[in-house]
Amino acid sequence: MGASAKYLPRDTVRTLSRRSDVWGAWLTLHVWGVIFAAWVMAILWTNPFTIILAIMLVGSRQHGMAILMHDAAHGVLFKTRWVNEFVGQWLLGAPYGGDMQSYRHYHLKHHRYTQSEDDPDLPLSAKFPVSKASLRRKFWRDLTGQTFFRLRMASRKDTTEPGMEAFQKSSPVPTLITNAVIFGVLAALGHWWVYPVLWLLPLMTWFMAVLRNRNIAEHALTTTDGNVLTQARTTHANWLARVFLAPYWVNYHVEHHAYMYVPCWQYRGLHKAMAEHHGDMEIQPSYRRVLQLASAG
């Protein structure tokens, strides 16, 4: 929290920083519940439309798992510490290929050096604005799996690649175990094909595109002067954007950088409180508008 506490009264911050095992459990059940519901839909009504819709829903919830793991990395997803650590690592991070312990070290460095030369996320935002054609090519590479395989190959070769640090692992074992469980359960139910088509494929495609959209929205074309209100961006998200692009209040990013120990389910209240006390936050009306700005190069 640090110096950012000056933006709101301490009592308000203390209330908004309250953690809850009930909320943590609900959000974890919700992210897996949406994935399960998408699988059931595609199994019961198998056709191109439901498969594509399921890929988008699962990919968005894999992103949701990354968001909730991010909260766990800050120690705020659950009130009970051991539950926070276990769920963040095994039920949220490992299934999609994340490692909460490695991510925590990387991500706290991002908070400490936001938008400075030492920010590990800076290469993801410093390149903007780009041309419209360049932005289309980036998303095409995401949606066709090229970005996924480039990052995986870079990690195997131990080379530097923008965005790769977020996927570093202390060990591949949790990911291998959790994915074996997912495949085993689906195979036992007689639907083994769901694993490659509606787990791996979303991870290789839609998840990568949504992650790029998030990286652009959060820090591209923001200030580098150390002002916490303008070195990150909050983006308003309608219900469709929340379903497919920005679940679990991830669009409130100025608020997160100002008070990083507030749980995500408190972000709406935090946004309202900050808007009342300080009107100079970097806010955009939609993700479409952010992408317009990012492709104005």
Side-chain angles (χ1 to χ4, degrees):
M1 202 176 303
S4 62
K6 66 184 180 182
Y7 293 114
L8 291 177
R10 291 189 179 277
D11 288 345
T12 300
V13 176
R14 188 177 299 111
T15 298
L16 291 170
S17 298
R18 179 173 58 88
R19 302 161 194 184
S20 168
D21 287 344
V22 173
W23 264 101
W26 161 244
L27 293 172
T28 303
L29 289 171
H30 185 274
V31 73
W32 277 107
V34 173
I35 290 171
F36 180 76
W39 288 346
V40 171
M41 174 190 68
I43 290 169
L44 294 179
W45 301 286
T46 308
N47 59 67
F49 174 78
T50 57
I51 293 295
I52 293 172
L53 179 58
I55 287 172
M56 295 173 66
L57 286 170
V58 172
S60 74
R61 293 308 122 168
Q62 289 168 330
H63 178 228
M65 294 167 73
I67 294 166
L68 297 180
M69 185 200 73
H70 161 270
D71 254 33
H74 279 288
V76 299
L77 184 60
F78 287 86
K79 183 177 181 179
T80 304
R81 181 174 175 79
W82 75 264
V83 177
N84 184 84
E85 298 299 295
F86 176 81
V87 173
Q89 175 71 352
W90 286 93
L91 300 185
L92 297 171
Y96 79 88
D99 182 298
M100 190 180 74
Q101 301 305 325
S102 298
Y103 175 80
R104 176 179 282 150
H105 175 75
Y106 150 85
H107 185 66
L108 292 180
K109 184 178 179 182
H110 162 65
H111 273 276
R112 183 177 181 182
Y113 299 110
T114 305
Q115 290 294 87
S116 73
E117 292 182 357
D118 295 318
D119 182 357
D121 277 350
L122 187 63
L124 299 174
S125 59
K127 66 186 74 173
F128 295 96
V130 297
S131 68
K132 289 181 174 61
S134 176
L135 189 63
R136 285 195 297 268
R137 287 194 298 270
K138 293 179 190 301
F139 279 110
W140 175 250
R141 290 194 294 268
D142 297 337
L143 293 171
T144 56
Q146 296 177 63
T147 302
F148 176 88
F149 285 108
R150 189 187 75 241
L151 289 174
R152 291 308 183 270
M153 292 302 295
S155 64
R156 289 184 179 182
K157 295 178 181 178
D158 196 28
T159 58
T160 301
E161 182 76 21
M164 193 178 70
E165 283 188 77
F167 295 96
Q168 293 296 311
K169 298 180 182 63
S170 56
S171 169
V173 172
T175 293
L176 294 175
I177 291 175
T178 52
N179 276 260
V181 170
I182 294 170
F183 176 77
V185 170
L186 290 170
L189 294 174
H191 303 293
W192 67 268
W193 63 270
V194 171
Y195 178 76
V197 177
L198 297 180
W199 180 256
L200 291 183
L201 188 58
L203 187 62
M204 296 175 181
T205 57
W206 189 254
F207 171 80
M208 301 308 300
V210 171
L211 197 59
R212 184 183 298 278
N213 183 76
R214 172 184 167 184
N215 287 330
I216 294 171
E218 288 182 346
H219 290 290
L221 305 174
T222 59
T223 64
T224 58
D225 58 0
N227 183 349
V228 72
L229 298 176
T230 58
Q231 66 185 7
R233 176 182 293 108
T234 286
T235 305
H236 290 302
N238 59 26
W239 71 268
L240 200 61
R242 293 195 299 273
V243 170
F244 292 108
L245 298 176
Y248 309 123
W249 309 280
V250 72
N251 52 304
Y252 295 107
H253 203 56
V254 173
E255 294 78 1
H256 172 61
H257 270 263
Y259 298 97
M260 65 179 177
Y261 294 116
V262 171
C264 64
W265 54 273
Q266 297 271 37
Y267 284 175
R268 283 182 178 174
L270 179 59
H271 174 77
K272 181 178 180 180
M274 288 184 67
E276 290 174 354
H277 286 82
H278 211 297
D280 296 333
M281 294 185 289
E282 166 60 25
I283 300 175
Q284 291 297 331
S286 67
Y287 283 100
R288 180 180 180 181
R289 178 56 182 161
V290 171
L291 293 180
Q292 287 175 341
L293 295 173
S295 59

